[in-house]
Amino acid sequence: MRCPYCGHEDSQVKDSRPTEDGAAIRRRRQCEDCGARFTTFERIQLREVGVVKADGAREPFDREKLMRSVQIACRKRPIESARIDRLVSGIQRQLETSGESEVRAQQIGAMVMEALKGVDNVAYIRFASVYRDFTEAKDFEEFASQVGGLGKD
């Protein structure tokens, strides 16, 4: 594993343990050149999944990109990072076990919306604002009122 600090090719595993949900292995590593320590995660990948964007462009599924978008929606909300990780892992597992080699970005967005709906209304609305491309305040108000009275505050 390449060191993120100095770029050296070799590092030594100092500690390995499963994550809380057992879906990954967390490894603490130390660079053999500069001595810096860093953490890596090893996850099972059942199959390569491609994402078809709205403009027709194709790119490989990127778990970290999905994680960042969910984390942004959940920022400053009382949601544990382990729960966000489980949500993202669940979506990734669904995609990999679907049998499809490509999935539309809109499908992934719908999956995230469905998952966030049961976690936190504010995170759900935040994600929806990007996913559904809200352009005016009334778009927020209309959507929030459908969610459950959030638009009345």
Side-chain angles (χ1 to χ4, degrees), residues 48-115:
E48 290 285 329
V49 177
V51 178
V52 181
K53 309 294 271 181
D55 65 0
R58 288 171 163 69
E59 63 184 48
F61 173 75
D62 183 349
R63 183 185 196 286
E64 292 307 311
K65 186 175 179 181
L66 177 60
M67 176 67 87
R68 281 190 307 273
S69 65
V70 173
Q71 286 173 329
I72 289 168
C74 295
R75 188 175 289 151
K76 296 186 180 181
R77 300 299 303 154
I79 304 166
E80 294 180 13
S81 59
R83 185 155 189 201
I84 294 170
D85 191 62
R86 284 192 306 271
L87 183 148
V88 171
S89 292
I91 291 170
Q92 182 179 11
R93 247 187 321 277
Q94 282 181 281
L95 295 172
E96 290 175 348
T97 59
S98 71
E100 300 295 324
S101 60
E102 288 188 329
V103 63
R104 300 194 67 70
Q106 293 88 342
Q107 279 181 273
I108 297 172
M111 293 167 81
V112 173
M113 292 271 297
E114 188 61 33

Side-chain angles (χ1 to χ4, degrees), residues 4-18:
Y5 301 103
C6 72
H8 187 70
E9 295 280 334
D10 296 318
S11 63
Q12 186 176 34
V13 175
K14 294 296 185 180
D15 180 46
S16 291
R17 60 181 73 175

